[in-house]
Amino acid sequence: MSKTSVQPPTMIPVARPFIGEEEEHAVVDTLRSGWITQGPRVAQFESDFSSYIGCGHSVAVSSCTTALHLALVALNIGPGDEVICPSLSFIATANSIVYVGATPVFCDIDPVTYNLDPARVEEAITPKTKAILVAHQIGLPAEMNAILKISKRHEIVVIEDAACAIGSEYEGSLIGRPLGTLACFSFHPRKILTTGEGGMITTDDAGLAARLRKLRQHAMSLSDVARHSSKQVMTETYDEVGYNFRMTDMQAAIGSVQLQRLPDFLEKRRYLASRYDEGLHSISWIDTPFVPDNCRHNYQSYMVRLKGVVAAKRDAVMQELLEKKISTRRAIMAIHRERPYMSEHWDKVLPQTNFATDTALILPLFHQMNEEEQDYVIEALHSISV
Ligand SMILES: Cc1ncc(COP(=O)(O)O)c(C=O)c1O
């Protein structure tokens, strides 16, 4: 193993959430307020989120997985329907389709951006296709103009899996000003803005937002807040089968604070990403991330592609880095390689997905990362001995 200039005292993680004193105070205040699940702070977070994104409506839920599930239910997608989605994504993307009884149809990606290849999307459309579930993978917006054109031509809806895309921009607009019908975000601790667990659905359709609000709390005809603040006795009804996908007020209180920090988070991540670009471009076996001119990346993750003989030795590279106290992760998973979705067919029609999942590597990037830590990672990559 070759020597690098700085030795980090502790492991450099691949990601680390940033939670400050303001978040702690916000949670304590909520606990003392007497209202701890979906209530005034959830309503406030939704309003803050809509103002930030510039969308008509934001509906908070318990995770992005439940956001995607609820989005499909609200759009009446169910048994017999097909939903086109990438296999190169977190498994929740496809699971949400299975939850409603529909069939995920995996589509290959553009090997440069890691996002759905519009040409492959068009080929995958059948009379059963009801929706395209587009992921903005690790925060890089997908090629939405081409995908929206296809959806219009075939009269199918587009749902955005924006789990990783808070703060990312497509043609000058933030992701979440829905380009499709709905966009779903995640606030898991691996994401840039975290509430521990949590999700948000954004839409400009008031009717759809009302339906989502109802479905997320057991399809109750009245919200708890409406019942609580009423001067008259009110009894709710349940006219369909709903879900408990509520966010708590503690999570929402954290979310409103995190939203204020978001511009700072994004600036730091973009700064660190540009330092990685500069520090790694001379390594012949690494391709740094490509960002199309009409997109702004939030760098939720900084993912490089390993090339040539090194690509086949990714595990050895990861091990050598780990021994230098640098944590990395394999690329985005390929859903079709997991037991519930495995088939020879998918393996044959997804060559770019297979290639991407086998050759890419996620490097450490988090808000508190300092330049010394990052230089240590860059030097470690320059001196890899595999
Ligand atoms: C693309 C994508 N979709 C959905 C999810 C699920 O998000 P959550 O953990 O909030 O349910 C994730 C989480 O990593 C993701 O990366």
Side-chain angles (χ1 to χ4, degrees):
M1 210 186 296
S2 42
K3 268 199 144 190
T4 44
S5 57
V6 193
Q7 282 296 323
T10 52
M11 181 69 84
I12 300 178
V14 78
R16 183 188 285 161
F18 181 91
I19 298 287
E21 273 181 28
E22 288 87 344
E23 283 87 342
E24 290 172 15
H25 293 313
V27 171
V28 172
D29 288 349
T30 309
L31 289 170
R32 291 178 179 161
S33 75
W35 199 303
I36 57 176
T37 193
Q38 186 185 284
R41 282 168 174 86
V42 166
Q44 184 62 53
F45 182 36
E46 290 174 337
S47 155
D48 296 344
F49 203 84
S50 294
S51 304
Y52 170 71
I53 298 282
C55 62
H57 309 273
S58 297
V59 180
V61 287
S62 52
S63 68
C64 183
T65 307
T66 56
L68 293 167
H69 183 172
L70 210 61
L72 292 162
V73 173
L75 292 167
N76 302 315
I77 292 167
D81 297 332
E82 290 178 355
V83 179
I84 293 172
C85 71
S87 165
L88 193 81
S89 187
F90 185 58
I91 197 163
T93 306
N95 285 350
S96 66
I97 299 167
V98 173
Y99 294 156
V100 299
T103 305
V105 174
F106 297 124
C107 219
D108 216 0
I109 51 144
D110 173 333
V112 178
T113 63
Y114 301 98
N115 279 319
L116 277 180
D117 178 344
R120 303 284 88 76
V121 170
E122 183 121 50
E123 282 166 13
I125 291 173
T126 75
K128 292 182 178 174
T129 309
K130 262 285 195 65
I132 307 170
L133 178 43
V134 187
H136 303 299
Q137 215 39 269
I138 61 166
L140 182 68
E143 220 185 299
M144 290 304 288
N145 284 341
I147 289 170
L148 290 169
K149 267 190 204 147
I150 295 168
S151 76
K152 284 202 180 89
R153 225 175 6 253
H154 296 271
E155 297 182 343
I156 50 184
V157 293
V158 173
I159 302 166
E160 293 170 76
D161 181 341
C164 308
I166 192 156
S168 298
E169 292 172 30
Y170 184 74
E171 305 215 318
S173 280
L174 282 169
I175 291 293
R177 265 190 190 183
L179 292 160
T181 309
L182 299 157
C184 301
F185 291 88
S186 171
F187 306 133
H188 178 271
R190 269 296 288 276
K191 306 299 184 272
I192 299 177
L193 183 159
T194 188
T195 58
E197 294 282 354
M200 191 72 83
I201 310 170
T202 59
T203 181
D204 284 338
D205 182 328
L208 204 50
R211 177 123 202 271
L212 290 164
R213 285 183 202 293
K214 196 173 159 196
L215 284 168
R216 75 175 163 182
Q217 64 163 5
H218 306 285
M220 269 163 81
S221 58
L222 286 171
S223 74
D224 292 331
V225 177
R227 215 168 25 165
H228 182 74
S229 52
S230 170
K231 301 268 179 295
Q232 304 207 314
V233 173
M234 297 180 94
T235 307
E236 79 284 6
T237 56
Y238 305 80
D239 56 10
E240 62 182 311
V241 176
Y243 304 83
N244 177 359
F245 288 165
R246 288 182 290 239
M247 176 182 273
T248 69
D249 260 25
M250 283 84 76
Q251 292 169 306
I254 297 173
S256 286
V257 178
Q258 290 261 302
L259 208 45
Q260 287 171 23
R261 298 192 193 278
L262 186 59
D264 202 28
F265 287 163
L266 292 167
E267 196 185 323
K268 180 73 184 287
R269 298 183 93 88
R270 286 172 178 146
Y271 170 67
L272 291 172
S274 71
R275 287 190 91 246
Y276 265 143
D277 286 348
E278 209 179 300
L280 301 176
H281 87 270
S282 62
I283 302 181
S284 62
W285 48 270
I286 283 183
D287 265 347
T288 53
F290 171 78
V291 183
D293 286 345
N294 62 349
C295 295
R296 226 174 152 207
H297 207 319
N298 64 2
Y299 293 101
Q300 189 230 264
S301 295
Y302 188 89
M303 190 164 79
V304 297
R305 189 195 300 282
L306 308 188
K307 296 192 291 184
V309 285
V310 183
K313 295 184 189 167
R314 184 178 57 182
D315 284 359
V317 171
M318 292 172 76
Q319 185 61 37
E320 193 171 323
L321 292 170
L322 194 61
E323 282 161 17
K324 290 179 178 172
K325 296 188 179 172
I326 298 167
S327 181
T328 56
R329 292 287 178 275
R330 64 168 179 164
I332 307 157
M333 66 182 293
I335 302 174
H336 74 278
R337 285 188 177 169
E338 299 304 320
R339 193 183 294 265
Y341 298 98
M342 257 177 210
S343 86
E344 269 177 39
H345 169 73
W346 292 133
D347 222 37
K348 252 187 248 146
V349 299
L350 302 169
Q352 301 299 349
T353 300
N354 286 333
F355 179 62
T357 196
D358 287 338
T359 57
L361 181 68
I362 294 176
L363 302 179
L365 183 66
F366 46 92
H367 187 64
Q368 312 89 312
M369 190 177 200
N370 58 44
E371 291 180 1
E372 203 180 40
E373 286 173 313
Q374 189 179 32
D375 289 343
Y376 177 78
V377 176
I378 293 170
E379 279 190 50
L381 285 160
H382 275 275
S383 62
I384 280 287
S385 62
V386 295

